[in-house]
Amino acid sequence: MKTEYIFYTVGVIFAIATILYFTWEYLFDLARSLKVLALALLTLFFWFMANYLQERDI
């Protein structure tokens, strides 16, 4: 297993944990459906950014 995949995995876990914490703590007054939508959009953003950076070997 390549070392970079371990770092990507750890980074994704921390990103998801951060998104979950931010959404449920600071946006507590929003409806649950909006929270889920924000979580999905941010997760997609991180996924696209990871692919973009991986393609460019950054």
Side-chain angles (χ1 to χ4, degrees), residues 3-55:
T3 306
E4 64 190 40
Y5 293 131
I6 295 171
F7 286 117
Y8 282 131
T9 303
V10 170
V12 167
I13 290 171
F14 277 114
I16 291 172
T18 302
I19 292 167
L20 285 171
Y21 178 77
F22 175 76
T23 302
W24 263 265
E25 285 292 325
Y26 294 106
L27 301 177
F28 189 76
D29 293 333
L30 291 177
R32 177 162 237 165
S33 59
L34 290 176
K35 291 179 192 178
V36 171
L37 179 65
L39 177 63
L41 290 175
L42 286 172
T43 304
L44 283 173
F45 170 76
F46 280 121
W47 184 76
F48 282 116
M49 282 302 294
N51 283 337
Y52 174 80
L53 295 174
Q54 185 181 17
E55 288 174 0

